[in-house]
């Protein structure tokens, strides 16, 4: 054995003066090894810096020791969304301890996405998957169940599912935002929502409308694809209305930050003329001027909980419904009392052309 080569079971066996089979039994906690011999083998293995080969371990037990996360969104949207890096960090917090590997893929919803799941299973690359961004009548639940691997869903699907679900009540966060604005005196509030095809986008929009109705607030909803660009478009549409809202509740922070920029480009002062709330509580929102009032859901904790549930599912644990603590609203300086006189409508400035300015 050289210094740059990882020690093998054969190396441990030679050093301990026993057979490779006995070393394998001792290292895997199997019966047939005396306590004294087991202790000697474990001591030798520790002294030599032996660690299990994931490839050999996978072959011996028929498992990949890897789990997949297939995100059915545009790579550009994924890259800009602060939720996924935090969520993946939480998954890795658990996987780094358990010895699992995360296999991450971005796929276009539909045929490409289905092929991605089938490929992961056919190549035996994963033992289970995390299903994110649940959709109405989500066909992925039946697809993954039919492929015979473990899975965990982020949220409770609206179709029959054999899998554990790990959920956060998105509606609770939206209700907190609406109640906060109502208590400030707002009676005309809009919601820039996510895609209606996604359950959490739909649930947040439904929670907004219910909370507004309960408070007697005039409300309207604009759907988007969750991107900052679509959030900016929705903001312009709302501010161009004959009667613009005095506050906007956004379904994520990226859209809220884009909306803040669009409002200020028109000469509006936030929150004097328009109050804005976000969702996800991204760190950058705390350093804006004004700092963004936002709903915090602990994406990293959600990722860790999903990873623990998936590890349990791969070992045959029964399915269950896990509900994480409700989101919290962090109030900052992007929200305030409504204007006494409606803000003057200012046309949105024309987009600047790409490229350097002309001298």
């Amino acid at each position: 054995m050289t210094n740059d080569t990882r020690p093998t079971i054969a190396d441990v066996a030679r050093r301990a003066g026993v057979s490779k089979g006995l070393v394998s039994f001792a290292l895997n906690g199997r019966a047939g090894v005396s306590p004294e011999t087991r202790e000697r083998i474990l001591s030798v293995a520790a002294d030599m810096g032996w660690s299990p080969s994931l490839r050999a371990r996978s072959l011996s037990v028929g498992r990949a020791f890897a789990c997949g996360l297939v995100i059915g969104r545009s790579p550009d949207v994924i890259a800009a969304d602060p939720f996924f890096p935090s969520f993946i960090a939480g998954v890795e917090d658990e996987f780094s301890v358990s010895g699992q590997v995360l296999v991450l893929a971005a796929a276009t919803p539909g045929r490409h996405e289905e092929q991605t799941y089938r490929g992961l299973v056919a190549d035996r690359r994963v033992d289970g998957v995390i299903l994110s961004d649940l959709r109405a009548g989500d066909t992925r639940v039946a697809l993954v169940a039919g492929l015979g691997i473990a899975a965990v869903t982020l949220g409770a699907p609206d179709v029959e599912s054999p899998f554990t679900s790990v959920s956060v009540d998105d509606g609770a966060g939206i209700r907190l935002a609406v109640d906060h604005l109502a208590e400030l005196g707002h009676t005309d509030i809009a919601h820039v929502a996510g895609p209606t095809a996604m359950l959490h986008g739909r649930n947040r929009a439904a929670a907004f409308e219910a909370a507004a109705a309960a408070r007697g607030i005039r409300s309207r909803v604009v759907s988007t694809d969750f991107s900052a660009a679509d959030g900016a478009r929705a903001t312009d549409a709302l501010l161009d209305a004959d009667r613009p809202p005095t506050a906007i509740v956004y379904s994520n922070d990226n859209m809220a930050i884009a909306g803040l920029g669009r409002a200020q480009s028109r000469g509006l002062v936030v929150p004097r003329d328009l109050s804005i709330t976000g969702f996800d509580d991204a760190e950058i929102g705390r350093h804006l001027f004004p700092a963004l009032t936002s709903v915090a859901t602990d994406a990293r904790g959600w990722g860790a909980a999903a990873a623990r549930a998936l590890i349990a599912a791969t070992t045959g644990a029964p399915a269950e419904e896990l509900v994480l603590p409700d989101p919290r609203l962090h109030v900052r300086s992007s929200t305030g009392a409504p204007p006494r006189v409606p803000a003057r409508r200012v046309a949105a400035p024309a987009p600047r052309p790409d490229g350097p300015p002309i001298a």
Side-chain angles (χ1 to χ4, degrees):
M1 182 184 72
T2 61
N3 290 336
D4 59 351
T5 302
R6 183 167 62 178
T8 66
I9 284 180
D11 297 323
V12 175
R14 280 193 295 272
R15 177 78 63 86
V18 297
S19 69
K20 290 196 301 181
L22 203 61
V23 171
S24 179
F25 274 44
L27 294 176
N28 287 287
R30 297 174 61 182
V33 187
S34 70
E36 296 80 8
T37 301
R38 187 188 307 277
E39 183 177 347
R40 185 171 83 254
I41 291 171
L42 294 177
S43 176
V44 169
D47 289 343
M48 296 180 70
W50 178 88
S51 61
S53 164
L54 183 59
R55 183 172 182 272
R57 188 181 174 202
S58 298
L59 291 172
S60 67
V61 299
R63 289 179 56 192
F65 292 97
C67 295
L69 174 61
V70 180
I71 304 175
R73 295 199 201 183
S74 157
D76 291 339
V77 174
I78 296 170
D81 192 331
F83 172 83
F84 286 108
S86 296
F87 179 83
I88 290 169
V91 172
E92 287 293 346
D93 286 341
E94 296 297 321
F95 282 3
S96 63
V97 175
S98 68
Q100 303 286 327
V101 174
L102 177 64
V103 178
L104 180 64
T108 304
R111 181 63 178 165
H112 181 221
E113 194 174 29
E114 177 180 333
Q115 290 173 340
T116 301
Y117 283 108
R118 291 189 183 280
L120 289 174
V121 175
D123 296 339
R124 297 185 177 179
R125 293 175 61 192
V126 299
D127 300 313
V129 293
I130 298 172
L131 295 177
S132 66
D133 286 338
L134 290 179
R135 301 154 199 159
D138 205 316
T139 58
R140 294 175 301 166
V141 174
L143 169 67
V144 171
L147 293 174
I149 59 171
V152 166
T153 63
L154 299 186
D158 62 355
V159 296
E160 186 174 351
S161 171
F163 304 128
T164 290
S165 63
V166 184
S167 305
V168 172
D169 183 359
D170 289 314
I174 293 294
R175 288 190 293 272
L176 287 173
V178 173
D179 287 345
H180 166 64
L181 293 168
E183 288 164 7
L184 289 172
H186 291 272
T187 58
D188 191 341
I189 305 174
H191 178 46
V192 175
T196 56
M198 289 186 183
L199 285 185
H200 63 296
R202 180 180 296 187
N203 291 342
R204 291 178 193 180
F208 169 79
E209 291 181 319
R215 290 278 193 164
I217 289 171
R218 179 175 187 260
S219 66
R220 66 202 94 167
V221 175
V222 181
S223 296
T224 70
D225 63 3
F226 272 137
S227 70
D230 224 16
R233 174 198 61 78
T235 303
D236 281 336
L238 289 167
L239 297 181
D240 283 338
D242 289 337
R243 183 179 166 186
T246 61
I248 305 177
V249 173
Y250 291 83
S251 201
N252 69 21
D253 280 356
N254 269 0
M255 295 194 298
I257 292 169
L260 176 63
R262 295 308 294 155
Q264 293 184 145
S265 72
R266 293 165 172 261
L268 300 181
V269 176
V270 177
R272 185 194 69 191
D273 302 319
L274 177 71
S275 287
I276 287 175
T277 72
F279 201 108
D280 287 332
D281 196 31
E283 183 180 3
I284 187 64
R286 306 166 202 174
H287 303 288
L288 299 174
F289 181 78
L292 185 64
T293 293
S294 187
V295 175
T297 57
D298 187 13
R300 188 165 185 162
W302 199 355
R308 289 193 297 270
L310 187 54
I311 292 169
T314 61
T315 62
E320 55 183 328
E321 294 182 2
L322 303 175
V323 180
L324 303 181
D326 283 347
R328 304 173 308 281
L329 181 69
H330 290 168
V331 177
R332 301 190 181 96
S333 51
S334 69
T335 51
R340 293 185 179 181
V341 178
R344 181 174 60 88
R345 289 177 59 210
V346 179
R352 296 179 60 181
D354 294 334
I358 299 174

